[in-house]
Amino acid sequence: MTDLRIRPATGDDIDAVLAFWRTAAQGTSISDDRDGVARLVTRDPGALLLAEDTGGLVGTVIAGFDGWRCHLYRLAVHPGRRRQGIATALLAAAEERFARLGGRRGDAMVLTGNERAHHAWRAAGYAPEEHWRRWVKPLTARTD
């Protein structure tokens, strides 16, 4: 894995990221469209981290910081490249970003039924907080 490179996404990466998520990520989000990812990259240019090797994109994580909390989303690794340390490298880069920005604790959005992800997050030192529940309200109608 010595050829693995982690870098922030740019506007030129949006289509590749969306295609990658269709292959590598479990589930979809209301923000999984060109406009949503473009807003992320524009508003917080260092938040969407990409892992690449000589074969192209092999992993992603969104490491968003709102000035108070550190939020992790869309940790995804190409199915053929899992269990090779890519998620570990992405999370290390995300945590380094948070530390530089003054973040104190990271929280991750993890699907309840994604057992594979539960194991990965636990191995990285994260644990569920059972006394919290996420409450959501879509602010726009989904068009797809």
XYZ file of all heavy atoms in Angstrom, residues 21 29 40 47-49 60-66 70-76 91 98 107-110 121 134:
231
model
N -19.158 6.009 -5.006
C -20.115 5.715 -3.940
C -21.169 4.717 -4.381
O -21.629 3.897 -3.585
C -20.768 6.994 -3.430
C -19.858 7.813 -2.559
C -18.707 7.409 -1.948
C -20.032 9.182 -2.210
N -18.147 8.453 -1.242
C -18.943 9.553 -1.388
C -20.987 10.144 -2.523
C -18.809 10.829 -0.858
C -20.853 11.417 -2.003
C -19.775 11.747 -1.176
N -27.738 8.872 0.130
C -28.090 10.044 0.920
C -28.799 11.043 0.021
O -28.565 11.072 -1.193
C -26.807 10.665 1.491
O -27.059 11.965 1.975
N -20.363 20.877 -0.814
C -19.421 20.434 0.215
C -17.997 20.864 -0.134
O -17.299 21.458 0.694
C -19.475 18.912 0.371
C -18.381 18.293 1.240
C -18.519 18.751 2.688
C -18.408 16.787 1.130
N -12.735 18.886 3.433
C -13.569 17.907 4.127
C -13.666 16.557 3.423
O -13.655 15.520 4.078
C -14.972 18.461 4.346
N -13.789 16.549 2.118
C -13.931 15.284 1.383
C -12.539 14.782 1.035
O -11.843 15.361 0.204
C -14.772 15.484 0.121
C -14.938 14.271 -0.800
C -15.430 13.036 -0.069
C -15.862 14.632 -1.960
N -12.132 13.716 1.712
C -10.799 13.145 1.511
C -10.895 11.918 0.615
O -11.777 11.071 0.799
C -10.186 12.764 2.852
C -9.971 13.924 3.830
C -9.505 13.407 5.183
C -8.982 14.920 3.264
N -12.975 6.882 0.300
C -13.394 8.243 0.624
C -13.787 8.339 2.085
O -14.169 7.340 2.710
C -14.626 8.693 -0.195
O -15.761 7.896 0.199
C -14.405 8.592 -1.681
N -13.718 9.537 2.609
C -14.357 9.868 3.872
C -14.634 11.366 3.850
O -13.860 12.141 3.286
C -13.498 9.476 5.110
C -12.258 10.357 5.254
C -14.332 9.530 6.390
N -15.750 11.760 4.424
C -16.039 13.171 4.625
C -15.727 13.469 6.083
O -16.266 12.827 6.987
C -17.500 13.509 4.299
C -17.794 13.224 2.831
C -17.799 14.973 4.650
C -19.262 13.370 2.449
N -14.843 14.430 6.295
C -14.423 14.846 7.637
C -14.827 16.302 7.813
O -14.033 17.222 7.622
C -12.903 14.677 7.789
N -16.082 16.508 8.149
C -16.618 17.861 8.281
C -16.444 18.409 9.685
O -16.631 17.703 10.671
N -16.080 19.671 9.753
C -15.920 20.348 11.048
C -16.710 21.644 10.989
O -16.489 22.471 10.099
C -14.443 20.626 11.327
C -14.186 21.281 12.656
C -14.513 20.642 13.837
C -13.619 22.541 12.722
C -14.273 21.241 15.072
C -13.367 23.150 13.954
C -13.699 22.493 15.120
N -17.636 21.815 11.916
C -18.487 23.003 11.911
C -17.996 24.078 12.881
O -18.695 25.045 13.148
C -19.936 22.626 12.208
C -20.125 21.967 13.573
O -19.226 22.055 14.432
O -21.193 21.350 13.784
N -16.776 17.492 15.191
C -16.128 16.818 14.064
C -17.028 15.666 13.625
O -17.328 14.779 14.418
C -14.774 16.252 14.496
S -13.683 17.462 15.243
N -17.446 15.705 12.375
C -18.403 14.729 11.861
C -17.788 13.922 10.723
O -17.186 14.480 9.809
C -19.662 15.429 11.349
C -20.297 16.326 12.357
N -21.008 15.850 13.429
C -20.303 17.673 12.466
C -21.449 16.867 14.151
N -21.024 17.982 13.588
N -17.980 12.619 10.769
C -17.456 11.715 9.744
C -18.611 11.046 9.007
O -19.538 10.519 9.638
C -16.570 10.644 10.394
C -15.299 11.202 11.029
C -14.774 10.266 12.101
C -14.264 11.441 9.956
N -18.529 11.098 7.699
C -19.546 10.511 6.833
C -18.860 9.823 5.666
O -17.736 10.142 5.300
C -20.467 11.595 6.229
C -21.040 12.564 7.195
C -20.390 13.764 7.478
C -22.256 12.320 7.821
C -20.935 14.686 8.354
C -22.809 13.244 8.702
C -22.144 14.421 8.956
O -22.682 15.329 9.826
N -19.572 8.963 5.015
C -19.180 8.371 3.744
C -17.786 7.738 3.734
O -17.050 7.856 2.757
C -19.286 9.400 2.615
C -20.697 9.622 2.137
C -21.208 8.320 1.639
N -22.435 8.462 0.884
C -23.308 7.488 0.793
N -23.093 6.343 1.397
N -24.382 7.644 0.098
N -17.464 7.055 4.836
C -16.250 6.232 4.821
C -16.577 5.034 3.926
O -17.463 4.244 4.238
C -15.877 5.767 6.220
C -14.671 4.826 6.308
C -13.404 5.513 5.798
C -14.478 4.347 7.738
N -15.892 4.960 2.813
C -16.156 3.895 1.847
C -14.841 3.456 1.223
O -13.988 4.284 0.923
C -17.115 4.374 0.756
N -9.137 7.489 7.985
C -9.530 7.992 9.304
C -8.381 8.718 9.990
O -8.596 9.725 10.660
C -10.062 6.857 10.175
C -11.439 6.342 9.762
C -11.850 5.162 10.627
C -12.482 7.457 9.835
N -8.981 17.176 11.883
C -9.737 17.662 13.031
C -8.817 18.278 14.087
O -9.115 19.328 14.644
C -10.550 16.527 13.656
C -11.680 16.019 12.806
C -12.104 14.714 12.933
C -12.335 16.837 11.885
C -13.160 14.229 12.179
C -13.384 16.365 11.115
C -13.808 15.052 11.268
N -17.434 12.208 15.593
C -18.578 11.304 15.594
C -18.827 10.845 14.167
O -18.546 11.563 13.220
C -19.825 11.937 16.218
C -20.354 13.125 15.442
O -20.717 12.970 14.256
O -20.436 14.224 16.020
N -19.302 9.632 14.037
C -19.474 9.019 12.721
C -20.927 8.634 12.492
O -21.582 8.109 13.399
C -18.593 7.768 12.610
N -21.394 8.859 11.280
C -22.708 8.385 10.867
C -22.509 6.982 10.299
O -21.798 6.809 9.304
C -23.289 9.300 9.794
C -23.576 10.718 10.286
S -24.848 10.784 11.558
C -26.206 10.045 10.723
N -23.102 5.982 10.952
C -22.933 4.587 10.540
C -24.318 3.951 10.483
O -25.074 4.019 11.455
C -22.034 3.817 11.542
C -21.799 2.398 11.057
C -20.721 4.545 11.773
N -15.378 0.530 12.371
C -15.377 1.692 13.270
C -14.872 1.309 14.659
O -14.102 2.052 15.272
C -16.769 2.319 13.341
C -17.090 3.113 12.117
C -17.903 2.734 11.080
C -16.577 4.392 11.767
N -17.928 3.714 10.119
C -17.127 4.747 10.510
C -15.715 5.292 12.387
C -16.841 5.951 9.883
C -15.431 6.502 11.752
C -15.992 6.811 10.510
N -30.389 9.926 16.217
C -30.383 10.950 15.180
C -31.815 11.262 14.765
O -32.594 10.357 14.474
C -29.580 10.434 13.991
C -29.476 11.403 12.866
C -28.564 10.823 11.796
N -28.434 11.741 10.703
C -28.481 11.397 9.435
N -28.619 10.129 9.099
N -28.351 12.283 8.495
